[in-house]
Amino acid sequence: MTRLVLLDRDGVVNVERPHYITDPGDVELVSGAAAAIRRLNAASRHVLIVTNQSAVGRGLIDMAGLERIHDRLRALLAAAGARLDGVIVCPDPPWAATARRKPGPGMLLEAMAAHAAGPAETAMVGDDVKDLEAACAAGCRRILVKTGKGASFAARGLAPALEPVAIVDDLAAAVALLLAPR
Ligand SMILES: [Mg+2]
């Protein structure tokens, strides 16, 4: 059973923007995302966001500013009765990326260790090939949503090494898949 569900942030939980999100006012939930997270909460699954935020490493925003964005995200979710068990951030810019920055598995492994979940009990939901690559490296289940950048990645086709990948419309569909009896 999948006990730990890791979510990419932009394009999965909140709407992808054509620019870096640096203002809490830029946060808008993907339709159905809050209800999907609420379903996971009700099913006693642990739900964490694992997000690359190179805007920090690029100097566009500081960690306090990022925390205000996440406060806004948590408030929007709470208004719909949903909550996150954690938000894990990698501030690395791409030119100084550590293994924490996706496609590295570092943040996923941290989440799994913190929640004592093995790869077979963990799923990653993302809209970017980097999310799938990170999940592959961590050994966990992979779901690509078509919100955000996901539709264009799905249309281009995925590298065979990433398979199996479930491709679904959005987070609501991903959660329906995760909670379906296997
Ligand atoms: Mg994304």
Side-chain angles (χ1 to χ4, degrees):
M1 186 184 90
T2 302
R3 294 195 297 113
L4 176 62
V5 181
L6 305 177
L7 309 176
D8 175 49
R9 195 192 79 178
D10 302 335
V12 176
V13 179
N14 56 275
V15 174
E16 176 81 20
R17 300 293 188 195
H19 54 81
Y20 292 101
I21 292 180
T22 55
D23 187 294
D26 291 337
V27 178
E28 176 191 350
L29 293 178
V30 168
S31 176
I37 293 171
R38 192 174 65 227
R39 275 192 80 186
L40 291 171
N41 298 150
S44 300
R45 302 317 200 259
H46 294 287
V47 188
L48 281 83
I49 284 179
V50 290
T51 180
N52 285 353
Q53 288 301 323
S54 71
V56 176
R58 294 170 195 270
L60 301 174
I61 187 174
D62 61 16
M63 288 301 276
L66 187 61
E67 197 51 40
R68 283 192 289 278
I69 288 164
H70 292 159
D71 285 345
R72 170 75 179 150
L73 183 61
R74 283 185 281 256
L76 291 172
L77 291 172
R83 75 182 154 70
L84 298 168
D85 295 296
V87 177
I88 299 180
V89 170
C90 177
D92 298 347
W95 60 87
T98 66
R100 295 187 76 247
R101 179 175 162 82
K102 296 176 288 186
M107 289 191 287
L108 285 64
L109 297 174
E110 283 172 27
M112 291 158 67
H115 291 269
E121 300 170 301
T122 305
M124 173 81 216
V125 183
D127 72 321
D128 192 303
V129 164
K130 284 200 287 266
D131 301 314
L132 306 177
E133 290 169 341
C136 243
C140 63
R141 189 175 174 186
R142 304 174 277 287
I143 302 177
L144 179 71
V145 291
K146 290 185 183 171
T147 50
K149 300 172 184 164
S152 68
F153 280 114
R156 268 179 267 170
L158 300 172
L162 294 175
E163 299 289 352
V165 177
I167 302 178
V168 299
D169 282 344
D170 57 14
L171 182 56
V175 168
L177 183 66
L178 286 168
L179 295 182
R182 299 184 84 188

